[in-house]
Amino acid sequence: MKNDKILELKNVSAGYNGEIIIEDVSLEIFENDFIGVIGPNGAGKTTLIKTILRLITPYSGKISYYFKAGKSEAPIGYLPQVNTIDRKFPITVEDVVLSGLLNRQKITKRFSKKEKEKVKELMDQMRIGNIARKPIGELSGGQMQRVFLCRAIISDPELLILDEPNTYVDNKFESELYEILKKLNEKMAIIVVSHDIGTISSYVKTIACVNRHVHYHKSNIISQEQLDSYNCPIQLITHGHIPHTVLESHEG
Ligand SMILES: Nc1ncnc2c1ncn2[C@@H]1O[C@H](COP(=O)(O)OP(=O)(O)O)[C@@H](O)[C@H]1O
Ligand SMILES: [Mg+2]
């Protein structure tokens, strides 16, 4: 199976108000990738994601996109960190998911019957079909995650980016989520940010460790020595032959 490059960062530095948060990042992403992004709080994980999404403009370096023309109207699906979502925004579950299909033409056009059916099918599959008409302000954290995951994947993106999807999610949905992602990875590249890679290390194929700089490991196994040399306050534990990586507690 071919595995084309879809995205490349070359010596990218970015941040806010002139301050550098991520520095000299070079990274290639391919269509079959399933990358776990780890690192302590405030390390710049979300900043890296926002840079890839073009929500912030790099100070220096270059980002190249190689998405296939006509394949998806929204080539990157994005699940933001839930604590950044405005719950007071007066919009229903169904509308949030539908908004994942918005593009330039749709701003004046109505959604088709086929699109609405696709949304319904996905919501049922994610078990939020029963709350389709609820305003998002009334949802639990776990329900919010599912709603925004549906929104991120409804356009069949080429790259799906999830920022801390396991926050607020109950254990049952967490393992379900990773099974869903594993399935989606047959069709799209996935980047999943987590400060707790315990569960994800057995699902992801590679690991990027962020701490101002990005260290990319072309494997889902990472040694304690490697982590120490990157100043990542993360500790490895092993159950049987499956390595688990967990975050040590740290200040701030
Ligand atoms: N919008 C912003 N304006 C200014 N500084 C920010 C902004 N967002 C994040 N930062 C700062 O950038 C640093 C990295 O933040 P972030 O990328 O959110 O880290 P992480 O996702 O790894 O926890 C933090 O010190 C944070 O305070
Ligand atoms: Mg973050």
Side-chain angles (χ1 to χ4, degrees):
M1 194 172 135
K2 66 179 181 21
N3 190 14
D4 292 337
K5 194 194 293 185
I6 52 175
L7 190 72
E8 180 166 10
L9 279 75
K10 261 193 191 150
N11 308 108
V12 170
S13 294
Y16 313 91
N17 316 314
E19 190 195 347
I20 292 178
I21 300 291
I22 51 164
E23 188 174 14
D24 199 23
V25 177
S26 295
L27 195 62
E28 288 179 312
I29 298 169
F30 294 86
E31 59 185 358
N32 299 342
D33 280 356
F34 193 165
I35 307 172
V37 174
I38 61 170
N41 266 329
K45 301 181 295 297
T46 298
T47 304
L48 173 67
I49 296 312
K50 286 185 178 166
T51 308
I52 291 174
L53 287 163
R54 284 281 188 217
L55 294 174
I56 56 178
T57 312
Y59 299 134
S60 57
K62 188 166 181 264
I63 310 179
S64 309
Y65 301 86
Y66 306 102
F67 295 117
K68 296 189 172 63
K71 196 171 171 197
S72 173
E73 287 174 0
I76 307 184
Y78 172 46
L79 172 76
Q81 240 176 303
V82 159
N83 61 12
T84 64
I85 296 167
D86 183 359
R87 287 167 164 275
K88 289 195 221 71
F89 201 71
I91 182 170
T92 64
V93 165
E94 187 179 25
D95 291 340
V96 169
V97 180
L98 271 170
S99 71
L101 289 171
L102 267 184
N103 61 40
R104 226 169 290 152
Q105 288 107 52
K106 289 284 152 48
I107 292 189
T108 50
K109 244 168 54 182
R110 280 167 191 268
F111 292 106
S112 68
K113 197 168 168 231
K114 208 170 142 216
E115 286 173 320
K116 288 200 165 169
E117 270 162 18
K118 188 179 178 191
V119 165
K120 187 174 181 311
E121 202 174 294
L122 182 62
M123 287 195 302
D124 285 342
Q125 202 185 326
M126 296 282 202
R127 292 190 279 103
I128 53 167
N130 57 329
I131 54 164
R133 305 279 165 174
K134 265 199 176 180
I136 57 165
E138 292 177 16
L139 307 185
S140 71
Q143 287 173 325
M144 281 283 266
Q145 293 284 35
R146 281 176 221 220
V147 171
F148 280 84
L149 178 62
C150 286
R151 177 180 187 263
I153 62 180
I154 192 70
S155 69
D156 299 315
E158 290 180 62
L159 171 63
L160 172 63
I161 302 179
L162 307 110
D163 199 348
E164 311 244 9
N166 34 6
T167 324
Y168 305 115
V169 166
D170 52 82
N171 285 341
K172 188 165 166 283
F173 183 64
E174 186 172 24
S175 47
E176 207 181 309
L177 170 70
Y178 286 108
E179 289 304 327
I180 293 168
L181 295 184
K182 211 168 146 186
K183 195 105 191 54
L184 287 170
N185 187 224
E186 291 166 11
K187 295 185 292 185
M188 61 188 77
I190 299 180
I191 300 178
V192 56
V193 175
S194 180
H195 61 265
D196 171 6
I197 202 162
T199 327
I200 79 169
S201 66
S202 51
Y203 289 91
V204 298
K205 296 173 180 164
T206 56
I207 291 173
C209 186
V210 178
N211 207 351
R212 187 171 171 110
H213 297 279
V214 174
H215 302 275
Y216 192 39
H217 305 269
K218 300 239 158 129
S219 131
N220 65 346
I221 300 167
I222 179 170
S223 74
Q224 188 65 56
E225 292 83 67
Q226 285 171 319
L227 290 172
D228 288 346
S229 66
Y230 308 144
N231 301 317
C232 266
I234 286 166
Q235 202 182 39
L236 288 184
I237 49 169
T238 308
H239 299 292
H241 56 279
I242 303 167
H244 287 247
T245 320
V246 293
L247 184 70
E248 265 180 12
S249 62
H250 55 89
E251 310 296 316

